[in-house]
Structure formats: C-alpha cells, structure tokens
C-alpha cells in the first residue's frame, strides 16, 4: 500500500497509518484493493475499494470505498490531521423501499461499527440514500430493486487508524446482510480448491 503524498518523504504519521491499514484484519468476505487516491483534497492520501463477496457463490453482496486523508495543518472543518471519507453500497430487499426508518438505520450501522471497534472520532457527517429502480416495457419482467448507499466522513481522534478501516468494513458487511461475528470469534477463510 503506497498512498499518495507530496514529493519527498511522507511524514512518519502517514507512513505509520499506511502500515496500520496494511495490518488491519478483515473478514474473509472482504476483498480490498488499493486505487489511486484523490489529488487535491489533502497533501497525503490513500484510497481503497472493497467488495464483500459471498463465500459460497463468489457473488458481490456490497461494495464501497475508503479514503484516508492526512493534512498536518489540521484543516478547521476536520478538527484534526486525519479525515476518513467513505461510502458503502448494497442492494436490499425490495420491500425495504418504503421503510421510513431506512436512512436512520443505515446511519446507526455506521455509528455502531465505529463504536464497536472503539474507533474514536469526531466531526462525523454523511448521508444515507436509497434508490428504487423499476423496469418498464421490454424490461417489465425484471423485479424492482432497492440500493442503499451510506456516504460518511469523520475525523479519527486516535492513532489506531486500522480500526477505522475495520469499522468501515464492518459497516460494509452489515449493509451486505452478513451477520456480525461474536466478540472474540475470527471467521476462517473458505477452503480453496
């Protein structure tokens, strides 16, 4: 994991953050890939995409993006030198399309994931969006589909930046419909054939 920074050496804090992200343990259903980081938001950044896949069918259940920004000047809106910028998206059951609590539930999944990992943070902000797609005419035989997208950002207030990535991955798994792992249980990877 390389990240993007200014020419020259990255600050020790950013190098340490990259190592924390590399060392973060994920559930076997989560597949992370480093992608190019945004260019003009912060002097240092790293971006990851993820897919949550069913281990039985190798089917994508959810996808998202996690960007960790670092600006030693601590921009006022951030309230610190770090900013996590994320989204998580998954298709849900069609009957959830009209649930008035869907947005609040989606946001609570994020808060619960951060709290569950002990990922200390401040200045959280975001949206929960639902998209209902209905097909007509030549596509009328397709069922209606509902997608949920949680877009969120927050300022980590601790140095355990890997826990913020893990919390986001937990949100991604929740949106995908995977049951949470009980405390102290580690999911074993699927057998490879």
């Amino acid at each position: 994991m390389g990240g993007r920074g200014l020419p020259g050496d990255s600050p020790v804090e950013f190098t340490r953050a990259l190592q924390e992200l590399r060392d973060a343990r994920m559930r076997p259903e989560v597949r992370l890939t480093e992608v190019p980081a945004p260019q003009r938001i912060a002097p240092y950044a790293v971006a990851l995409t993820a897919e949550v896949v069913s281990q039985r069918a190798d089917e994508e259940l959810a996808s998202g993006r996690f960007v960790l920004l670092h600006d030693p000047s601590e921009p006022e809106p951030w309230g610190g030198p770090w900013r996590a910028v994320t989204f998580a998206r998954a298709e849900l059951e069609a009957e959830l399309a009209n649930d008035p609590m869907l947005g609040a539930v989606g946001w609570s999944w994020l808060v619960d994931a951060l709290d569950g990992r002990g990922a200390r943070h401040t200045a959280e902000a975001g949206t929960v969006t639902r998209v209902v797609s209905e097909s007509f005419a030549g596509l009328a035989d397709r069922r209606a589909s509902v997608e949920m997208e949680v877009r969120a950002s927050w300022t980590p207030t601790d140095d355990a930046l890997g826990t913020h990535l893990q919390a986001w991955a937990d949100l991604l798994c929740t949106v995908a419909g995977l049951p949470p792992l009980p405390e102290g249980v580690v999911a074993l990877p699927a057998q490879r054939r």
Side-chain angles (χ1 to χ4, degrees):
M1 188 173 308
R4 182 207 41 82
L6 296 173
D9 293 342
S10 296
V12 172
E13 299 84 7
F14 187 68
T15 303
R16 194 174 315 129
L18 292 176
Q19 189 61 49
E20 283 262 342
L21 297 179
R22 265 187 224 109
D23 293 344
R25 295 197 59 183
M26 298 290 133
R27 288 177 65 149
E29 299 93 346
V30 178
R31 297 185 182 161
L32 288 174
T33 305
E34 186 175 1
V35 295
Q39 294 292 314
R40 290 175 271 213
I41 301 174
Y44 305 94
V46 61
L48 303 165
T49 60
E51 294 175 342
V52 176
V53 293
S54 163
Q55 290 197 305
R56 289 189 206 123
D58 205 33
E59 166 192 9
E60 182 181 298
L61 303 173
S63 63
R65 183 173 169 120
F66 179 91
V67 178
L68 183 63
L69 306 171
H70 179 59
D71 188 341
S73 73
E74 299 190 17
E76 187 177 330
W78 294 8
W82 300 99
R83 190 74 179 167
V85 181
T86 68
F87 79 83
R89 174 186 13 225
E91 190 170 330
L92 304 176
E93 294 85 26
E95 51 273 3
L96 294 175
N98 296 318
D99 186 336
M101 295 300 296
L102 187 61
V105 168
W107 189 256
S108 74
W109 289 341
L110 169 69
V111 173
D112 291 348
L114 289 165
D115 291 347
R117 289 286 181 170
R120 294 187 357 234
H121 63 282
T122 188
E124 63 276 358
T127 61
V128 177
T129 305
R130 79 183 96 196
V131 176
V132 179
S133 298
E134 298 179 76
S135 300
F136 299 93
L139 301 176
D141 58 338
R142 291 186 181 173
R143 294 182 38 207
S145 66
V146 178
E147 268 193 358
M148 171 193 254
E149 185 174 278
V150 179
R151 291 184 177 267
S153 63
W154 63 88
T155 298
T157 58
D158 56 18
D159 292 331
L161 295 165
T163 62
H164 293 268
L165 176 62
Q166 289 172 315
W168 170 77
D170 291 346
L171 166 68
L172 203 55
C173 289
T174 300
V175 170
L178 297 180
L181 291 176
E183 185 69 35
V185 172
V186 176
L188 297 174
Q191 274 190 326
R192 296 182 189 231
R193 299 176 194 229

